Amino acid sequence: MEKSKIAITFDDGPTEFTTRVLNALEKHGVPATFFVIGSKIEGNEEILKRSHTMGNEILPHAWNHPDLRTLSPDEIKKELTDTAEQIRSVLGDLPMNMYRPPYGYFDDKVKTASAEIGMSLINWSIDTLDWENKNADIIYDRTMERLHDGAIILCHDAYDSTGKAVERLLPVLMEKYELVTVSELLSGFNLQPGKVYDNCSEETRLDWGTWG
């Protein structure tokens, strides 16, 4: 029987704690999606290269993690395009048609600016709150309590506790689900630039049943 798909995602890297997450993913042979901060790439190029070589998806978060709603349209575009170009400078000419807005925040101005540079917005349907609790057991429990087919799980590779939780989570998740990248998870959708895909917003509530 074919397993339903889910995607685990990591924001705010690359950092010194990304390696623990990568080790866990490599051990179990599964991919994840990393939404990276452009200003953190310099000095962490080898981490980014390793992640990409393993088959993980690398996409922009922003350059400095601002609330994009507070910026002008040109500033929004610069945060995203500068990050995309920094990723490409390390990894080559990869598709950069999706990103995750910092804090998950967006408004019509953000969506319009994103559309103009050909990017869709990817948020999440399970928030581990790992940035708040920094406790591996709580991260594990929150994830398991909220699991559903087609889930996009939000984590941050900026805390050692997240890596510890991932080590415990992966083998359990793999028993029931196929772990894939966000692009693979959403491959059945005709993603539109400037649209939000997250199962949380009222604008675009995904039909998770299509992966049942």
Side-chain angles (χ1 to χ4, degrees):
M1 182 177 176
E2 186 176 349
K3 294 180 178 178
S4 299
K5 296 184 173 93
I6 61 174
I8 186 167
T9 68
F10 297 90
D11 291 6
D12 293 0
T15 74
E16 61 185 299
F17 302 112
T18 305
T19 297
R20 185 168 188 171
V21 171
L22 294 179
N23 290 344
L25 293 169
E26 188 171 50
K27 177 180 177 179
H28 295 286
V30 294
T33 298
F34 290 81
F35 293 97
V36 302
I37 294 179
S39 61
K40 290 186 177 181
I41 292 175
E42 186 174 358
N44 289 309
E45 291 91 346
E46 293 308 311
I47 293 175
L48 206 67
K49 289 177 183 177
R50 178 191 173 194
S51 184
H52 175 60
T53 300
M54 286 171 52
N56 296 308
E57 185 168 41
I58 315 296
L59 293 167
H61 197 16
W63 186 264
N64 283 313
H65 206 282
D67 178 349
L68 297 179
R69 299 173 302 176
T70 67
L71 305 182
S72 70
D74 285 344
E75 289 170 333
I76 293 168
K77 294 176 189 177
K78 183 172 175 57
E79 281 281 332
L80 301 175
T81 57
D82 283 0
T83 304
E85 287 309 307
Q86 187 76 344
I87 294 170
R88 287 181 171 133
S89 73
V90 177
L91 302 180
D93 189 19
L94 299 176
M96 293 286 145
N97 60 343
M98 298 186 293
Y99 78 98
R100 172 165 288 157
Y103 313 103
Y105 293 163
F106 61 89
D107 57 16
D108 287 343
K109 177 180 61 177
V110 172
K111 290 190 289 183
T112 298
S114 303
E116 289 174 356
I117 56 174
M119 286 189 173
S120 303
L121 294 76
I122 306 296
N123 275 348
W124 56 85
S125 61
I126 297 176
D127 188 349
T128 63
L129 294 180
D130 57 344
W131 59 272
E132 181 177 65
N133 56 65
K134 298 184 180 67
N135 181 298
D137 291 335
I138 295 175
I139 296 166
Y140 177 90
D141 290 342
R142 281 188 61 86
T143 304
M144 296 305 298
E145 289 167 1
R146 292 160 174 78
L147 269 181
H148 59 85
D149 294 354
I152 299 176
I153 303 170
L154 170 63
C155 300
H156 297 79
D157 52 322
Y159 314 103
D160 191 56
S161 51
T162 298
K164 185 177 179 181
V166 168
E167 291 167 350
R168 183 181 171 195
L169 276 167
L170 289 182
V172 178
L173 296 177
M174 291 170 63
E175 290 179 2
K176 183 177 181 181
Y177 296 103
E178 178 185 357
L179 273 67
V180 298
T181 64
V182 166
S183 289
E184 291 172 309
L185 183 67
L186 302 181
S187 61
F189 289 85
N190 181 23
L191 299 188
Q192 299 296 314
K195 297 291 186 180
V196 183
Y197 299 89
D198 57 13
N199 198 41
C200 295
S201 78
E202 291 302 320
E203 175 192 11
T204 311
R205 189 173 294 276
L206 296 181
D207 178 10
W208 301 112
T210 57
W211 291 288

